[in-house]
Amino acid sequence: MVSYIDASVAPLKNTGQIKLYSPEDFEGMRKACQLTSSCLDALVPLIKPGITTQEIDDFVYGFGRDHGVVAATLNYRGYTHSSCTSINHVVCHGIPEAKRLREGDIVNVDVTFVVDGWHGDSSRMYPVGTLKRSAERLIEVTYESLKRGIEAAKPGNTTGDIGYAIQSYVEAERCSVVRDFCGHGLGRLFHDMPNILHYGRPGEGIELKPGMIFTIEPMVNLGRPEVKVLKDGWTAVTRDRTLSAQFEHSIGITANGADIFTLSQKGLFNPLHPEDKPN
Ligand code: MF3
Ligand code: CO
Ligand code: CO
């Protein structure tokens, strides 16, 4: 059975209890998340044909250093980079390398800065030059699925309501939801309870309560949902090699909805429709 605990008295480790955070904690998360968002904003003009994913990662490292922080992924379970850079059919956890981005590629950059102990986790899609319509549509569907997931994130609803909102929309658009990775609680820990599945049925899972903090980060494929992890132990790709996209926000549950900590102050979260709100 699920149980809830005041985050201020909870042990730091993941005990399976769902931590409920205070308004001060929410402000700590907002600060970390806003640093992550401003870094993702600063990448927008840099991500063009010819840049390498290692250069993207170097920028993220330097951005953190300039602000006196490091990324949670650096030396996390043997991972040695400040970001994940997932190109085209890479679903997530793409490792930065010397490979140059090419016109028409789509790339997700996922960054988690740790500020005063709080983890700010967010990712976005970046178009490289002009895209094919199919790639553009995948990005639109994935963004919209995150938006619908966030709309379902409110007290009284369950984690299953979030998953259902995402899955029912994505499948109606004839795309598929990746099952092998999920959103997660976070705060002073990078990955904590609860797991936020991006598929499910209404009313399933655990009840959402004010004070909960977690990510929603749907991965959506143009083809089938199955993924495989390459021999490097990290890079997850679609088995059928179709394109995959992902957007991730870190949010906190409030009395009547969700506080989106990783919003872009410049309105750049959705690269294809910068005017879209929330952004
Ligand atoms: N930032 C990813 C997430 O959204 C986790 C990356 S872990 C890494 O949860 F080690 F692959 F970087
Ligand atoms: Co995450
Ligand atoms: Co992330």
Side-chain angles (χ1 to χ4, degrees):
M1 222 15 235
V2 60
S3 64
Y4 302 85
I5 184 170
D6 183 340
S8 66
V9 300
L12 185 58
K13 63 180 196 288
N14 181 347
T15 59
Q17 291 168 306
I18 311 295
K19 300 184 182 100
L20 299 178
Y21 293 90
S22 71
E24 293 76 21
D25 298 338
F26 272 42
E27 291 320 305
M29 277 300 287
R30 194 183 323 281
K31 193 172 161 200
C33 287
Q34 283 297 303
L35 190 68
T36 296
S37 288
S38 59
C39 180
L40 294 177
D41 285 349
L43 283 171
V44 170
L46 304 179
I47 298 187
K48 292 199 185 106
I51 193 172
T52 69
T53 49
Q54 182 59 56
E55 287 164 348
I56 292 172
D57 193 70
D58 291 343
F59 179 86
V60 173
Y61 178 82
F63 191 96
R65 185 198 51 218
D66 293 348
H67 291 85
V69 305
V70 289
T73 52
L74 192 58
N75 304 316
Y76 175 78
R77 300 185 180 188
Y79 195 81
T80 55
H81 292 81
S82 300
S83 62
C84 296
T85 50
S86 303
I87 308 168
N88 296 339
H89 68 293
V90 179
V91 171
C92 64
H93 304 166
I95 304 173
E97 57 176 333
K99 191 195 277 178
R100 293 187 192 285
L101 295 177
R102 298 176 3 177
E103 181 87 19
D105 285 344
I106 59 172
V107 60
N108 174 282
V109 181
D110 191 337
V111 174
T112 306
F113 281 132
V114 189
V115 179
D116 302 330
W118 297 103
H119 290 72
D121 188 4
S122 186
S123 84
R124 307 178 189 168
M125 297 306 297
Y126 295 83
V128 182
T130 308
L131 301 186
K132 282 193 189 152
R133 180 61 197 141
S134 56
E136 223 171 60
R137 192 177 83 85
L138 175 65
I139 290 176
E140 286 165 358
V141 169
T142 309
Y143 171 80
E144 177 66 23
S145 78
L146 172 58
K147 197 161 135 182
R148 289 180 183 221
I150 293 171
E151 276 162 16
K154 56 184 180 195
N157 272 2
T158 66
T159 53
D161 292 319
I162 296 174
Y164 178 76
I166 293 167
Q167 182 186 13
S168 58
Y169 168 71
V170 166
E171 292 178 353
E173 294 294 328
R174 302 168 57 79
C175 295
S176 67
V177 174
V178 169
R179 311 288 203 274
D180 302 63
F181 301 95
C182 59
H184 50 93
L186 79 172
R188 295 199 173 275
L189 288 182
F190 188 6
H191 292 114
D192 202 352
M193 294 291 285
N195 287 333
I196 305 296
L197 306 185
H198 303 113
Y199 59 93
R201 293 171 195 263
E204 276 184 357
I206 64 160
E207 192 183 330
L208 303 177
K209 293 192 185 291
M212 285 173 58
I213 293 177
F214 53 81
T215 72
I216 306 180
E217 48 181 299
M219 285 139 274
V220 174
N221 300 346
L222 270 186
R224 293 196 49 83
E226 291 81 13
V227 313
K228 74 174 181 201
V229 175
L230 300 185
K231 290 206 186 75
D232 61 27
W234 287 104
T235 313
V237 300
T238 56
R239 281 194 173 268
D240 64 7
R241 297 228 145 206
T242 57
L243 289 184
S244 187
Q246 179 180 30
F247 284 92
E248 175 176 29
H249 270 316
S250 294
I251 70 171
I253 301 298
T254 62
N256 44 26
D259 194 342
I260 308 171
F261 299 132
T262 39
L263 287 174
S264 165
Q265 291 312 313
K266 295 191 168 165
L268 296 174
F269 187 73
N270 178 356
L272 300 177
H273 299 282
E275 71 284 3
D276 252 46
K277 293 284 182 266
N279 203 311

